[in-house]
Short mmCIF file of all heavy atoms in Angstrom, two decimals:
data_model
loop_
_atom_site.label_atom_id
_atom_site.label_comp_id
_atom_site.label_asym_id
_atom_site.label_seq_id
_atom_site.Cartn_x
_atom_site.Cartn_y
_atom_site.Cartn_z
N GLN J 164 74.17 94.43 58.26
CA GLN J 164 74.95 94.04 57.09
C GLN J 164 74.91 92.54 56.87
O GLN J 164 74.61 91.78 57.80
CB GLN J 164 76.41 94.47 57.29
CG GLN J 164 76.57 95.95 57.58
CD GLN J 164 77.97 96.26 58.05
OE1 GLN J 164 78.93 95.90 57.39
NE2 GLN J 164 78.08 96.93 59.17
N SER J 165 75.26 92.16 55.66
CA SER J 165 75.34 90.72 55.37
C SER J 165 76.61 90.17 56.02
O SER J 165 77.52 90.92 56.39
CB SER J 165 75.41 90.52 53.86
OG SER J 165 76.61 91.06 53.38
N ASN J 166 76.64 88.83 56.14
CA ASN J 166 77.81 88.18 56.73
C ASN J 166 79.08 88.47 55.95
O ASN J 166 80.16 88.63 56.53
CB ASN J 166 77.58 86.66 56.78
CG ASN J 166 76.84 86.28 58.04
OD1 ASN J 166 76.78 87.06 58.99
ND2 ASN J 166 76.25 85.10 58.03
N THR J 167 78.94 88.58 54.63
CA THR J 167 80.12 88.85 53.80
C THR J 167 80.72 90.21 54.18
O THR J 167 81.94 90.35 54.32
CB THR J 167 79.72 88.87 52.32
OG1 THR J 167 78.84 87.79 52.07
CG2 THR J 167 80.92 88.80 51.41
N LYS J 168 79.81 91.18 54.35
CA LYS J 168 80.32 92.52 54.70
C LYS J 168 80.93 92.54 56.10
O LYS J 168 81.92 93.24 56.34
CB LYS J 168 79.18 93.54 54.61
CG LYS J 168 78.82 93.88 53.17
CD LYS J 168 77.98 95.13 53.10
CE LYS J 168 77.82 95.54 51.64
NZ LYS J 168 76.98 96.74 51.50
N LEU J 169 80.31 91.76 56.99
CA LEU J 169 80.87 91.69 58.36
C LEU J 169 82.26 91.06 58.34
O LEU J 169 83.16 91.52 59.06
CB LEU J 169 79.95 90.86 59.27
CG LEU J 169 78.69 91.57 59.80
CD1 LEU J 169 77.86 90.61 60.65
CD2 LEU J 169 79.05 92.79 60.63
N GLN J 170 82.43 90.03 57.51
CA GLN J 170 83.74 89.37 57.41
C GLN J 170 84.77 90.33 56.82
O GLN J 170 85.92 90.38 57.27
CB GLN J 170 83.66 88.11 56.54
CG GLN J 170 82.86 86.97 57.17
CD GLN J 170 83.39 86.58 58.55
OE1 GLN J 170 84.58 86.56 58.79
NE2 GLN J 170 82.46 86.30 59.47
N GLN J 171 84.33 91.10 55.82
CA GLN J 171 85.22 92.10 55.20
C GLN J 171 85.67 93.11 56.27
O GLN J 171 86.85 93.49 56.34
CB GLN J 171 84.47 92.80 54.06
CG GLN J 171 85.24 93.97 53.43
CD GLN J 171 86.55 93.53 52.80
OE1 GLN J 171 86.58 92.64 51.94
NE2 GLN J 171 87.66 94.11 53.25
N GLU J 172 84.69 93.48 57.11
CA GLU J 172 84.98 94.44 58.18
C GLU J 172 86.02 93.86 59.15
O GLU J 172 86.94 94.56 59.58
CB GLU J 172 83.68 94.72 58.94
CG GLU J 172 83.65 96.06 59.61
CD GLU J 172 82.25 96.36 60.13
OE1 GLU J 172 81.86 95.81 61.17
OE2 GLU J 172 81.54 97.13 59.47
N ALA J 173 85.85 92.57 59.46
CA ALA J 173 86.80 91.90 60.37
C ALA J 173 88.22 91.92 59.81
O ALA J 173 89.19 92.12 60.54
CB ALA J 173 86.35 90.48 60.64
N VAL J 174 88.32 91.75 58.48
CA VAL J 174 89.64 91.78 57.84
C VAL J 174 90.24 93.18 57.96
O VAL J 174 91.42 93.36 58.31
CB VAL J 174 89.52 91.36 56.35
CG1 VAL J 174 90.84 91.59 55.61
CG2 VAL J 174 89.10 89.90 56.25
N TRP J 175 89.42 94.21 57.69
CA TRP J 175 89.91 95.60 57.82
C TRP J 175 90.42 95.87 59.24
O TRP J 175 91.44 96.53 59.43
CB TRP J 175 88.78 96.59 57.51
CG TRP J 175 88.45 96.72 56.05
CD1 TRP J 175 89.22 96.34 54.99
CD2 TRP J 175 87.26 97.27 55.50
NE1 TRP J 175 88.58 96.62 53.82
CE2 TRP J 175 87.37 97.20 54.09
CE3 TRP J 175 86.09 97.82 56.03
CZ2 TRP J 175 86.38 97.66 53.22
CZ3 TRP J 175 85.10 98.28 55.18
CH2 TRP J 175 85.24 98.19 53.78
N ILE J 176 89.67 95.36 60.20
CA ILE J 176 90.05 95.60 61.61
C ILE J 176 91.41 94.96 61.90
O ILE J 176 92.29 95.60 62.50
CB ILE J 176 88.97 95.05 62.57
CG1 ILE J 176 87.69 95.89 62.45
CG2 ILE J 176 89.45 95.08 64.02
CD1 ILE J 176 86.45 95.22 63.00
N GLU J 177 91.59 93.72 61.47
CA GLU J 177 92.87 93.04 61.72
C GLU J 177 94.01 93.77 61.03
O GLU J 177 95.11 93.89 61.59
CB GLU J 177 92.80 91.58 61.24
CG GLU J 177 91.94 90.69 62.12
CD GLU J 177 92.28 90.80 63.61
OE1 GLU J 177 93.48 90.68 63.94
OE2 GLU J 177 91.36 91.01 64.41
N GLU J 178 93.76 94.27 59.81
CA GLU J 178 94.80 95.02 59.10
C GLU J 178 95.12 96.33 59.82
O GLU J 178 96.29 96.72 59.95
CB GLU J 178 94.34 95.32 57.67
CG GLU J 178 94.38 94.10 56.77
CD GLU J 178 93.78 94.36 55.38
OE1 GLU J 178 93.22 95.45 55.15
OE2 GLU J 178 93.88 93.46 54.54
N ALA J 179 94.06 96.97 60.33
CA ALA J 179 94.27 98.25 61.03
C ALA J 179 95.01 98.07 62.35
O ALA J 179 95.71 98.97 62.81
CB ALA J 179 92.91 98.93 61.28
N LYS J 180 94.86 96.88 62.94
CA LYS J 180 95.60 96.61 64.18
C LYS J 180 97.11 96.58 63.90
O LYS J 180 97.91 96.96 64.75
CB LYS J 180 95.17 95.26 64.77
CG LYS J 180 93.86 95.32 65.54
CD LYS J 180 93.52 93.95 66.10
CE LYS J 180 92.18 94.00 66.81
NZ LYS J 180 91.77 92.66 67.31
N GLU J 181 97.48 96.12 62.71
CA GLU J 181 98.89 96.05 62.31
C GLU J 181 99.40 97.42 61.86
O GLU J 181 100.53 97.79 62.13
CB GLU J 181 99.07 95.05 61.16
CG GLU J 181 98.64 93.63 61.49
CD GLU J 181 99.47 93.00 62.59
OE1 GLU J 181 100.68 93.23 62.60
OE2 GLU J 181 98.89 92.30 63.45
N ASP J 182 98.55 98.13 61.13
CA ASP J 182 98.97 99.42 60.55
C ASP J 182 97.81 100.41 60.65
O ASP J 182 96.76 100.22 60.03
CB ASP J 182 99.36 99.18 59.08
CG ASP J 182 99.79 100.46 58.39
OD1 ASP J 182 99.91 101.50 59.07
OD2 ASP J 182 99.99 100.42 57.15
N ALA J 183 98.00 101.47 61.43
CA ALA J 183 96.92 102.44 61.69
C ALA J 183 96.37 103.05 60.40
O ALA J 183 95.19 103.42 60.33
CB ALA J 183 97.42 103.51 62.63
N GLU J 184 97.22 103.17 59.40
CA GLU J 184 96.76 103.82 58.15
C GLU J 184 95.70 102.97 57.42
O GLU J 184 94.97 103.48 56.59
CB GLU J 184 97.96 104.08 57.25
CG GLU J 184 98.94 105.05 57.91
CD GLU J 184 99.75 105.84 56.91
OE1 GLU J 184 99.54 105.65 55.72
OE2 GLU J 184 100.60 106.63 57.37
N ARG J 185 95.63 101.68 57.76
CA ARG J 185 94.62 100.80 57.14
C ARG J 185 93.25 100.98 57.79
O ARG J 185 92.30 100.28 57.44
CB ARG J 185 95.05 99.32 57.25
CG ARG J 185 96.45 99.05 56.75
CD ARG J 185 96.59 99.20 55.24
NE ARG J 185 96.03 98.07 54.53
CZ ARG J 185 96.69 96.96 54.24
NH1 ARG J 185 97.95 96.85 54.64
NH2 ARG J 185 96.13 95.99 53.57
N PHE J 186 93.16 101.86 58.76
CA PHE J 186 91.87 102.15 59.41
C PHE J 186 90.97 103.00 58.51
O PHE J 186 89.77 103.14 58.79
CB PHE J 186 92.16 102.88 60.74
CG PHE J 186 90.99 103.02 61.66
CD1 PHE J 186 90.44 101.91 62.30
CD2 PHE J 186 90.44 104.26 61.93
CE1 PHE J 186 89.36 102.05 63.16
CE2 PHE J 186 89.37 104.40 62.80
CZ PHE J 186 88.83 103.29 63.41
N GLY J 187 91.55 103.55 57.46
CA GLY J 187 90.82 104.45 56.55
C GLY J 187 89.46 103.97 56.10
O GLY J 187 88.46 104.71 56.23
N PRO J 188 89.32 102.73 55.57
CA PRO J 188 88.02 102.27 55.10
C PRO J 188 86.94 102.26 56.18
O PRO J 188 85.79 102.60 55.92
CB PRO J 188 88.32 100.84 54.62
CG PRO J 188 89.77 100.81 54.33
CD PRO J 188 90.39 101.78 55.28
N LEU J 189 87.35 101.90 57.40
CA LEU J 189 86.37 101.88 58.50
C LEU J 189 85.93 103.31 58.85
O LEU J 189 84.76 103.56 59.14
CB LEU J 189 86.99 101.21 59.74
CG LEU J 189 87.22 99.71 59.62
CD1 LEU J 189 88.19 99.21 60.68
CD2 LEU J 189 85.90 98.96 59.73
N TYR J 190 86.91 104.22 58.81
CA TYR J 190 86.60 105.63 59.09
C TYR J 190 85.61 106.16 58.05
O TYR J 190 84.59 106.77 58.40
CB TYR J 190 87.90 106.44 59.08
CG TYR J 190 87.71 107.93 59.25
CD1 TYR J 190 87.46 108.48 60.50
CD2 TYR J 190 87.80 108.78 58.16
CE1 TYR J 190 87.30 109.84 60.65
CE2 TYR J 190 87.64 110.15 58.31
CZ TYR J 190 87.39 110.68 59.56
OH TYR J 190 87.21 112.04 59.70
N THR J 191 85.89 105.89 56.79
CA THR J 191 85.03 106.39 55.72
C THR J 191 83.62 105.80 55.84
O THR J 191 82.62 106.50 55.66
CB THR J 191 85.63 106.01 54.35
OG1 THR J 191 86.99 106.40 54.34
CG2 THR J 191 84.89 106.68 53.20
#
Side-chain angles (χ1 to χ4, degrees):
Chain J
Q164 304 168 52
S165 65
N166 274 343
T167 317
K168 285 195 172 179
L169 282 178
Q170 291 304 322
Q171 174 61 56
E172 206 170 77
V174 171
W175 285 342
I176 291 163
E177 288 310 310
E178 286 174 353
K180 281 181 183 176
E181 300 296 321
D182 179 7
E184 298 207 2
R185 308 291 283 273
F186 191 68
L189 290 163
Y190 176 78
T191 310

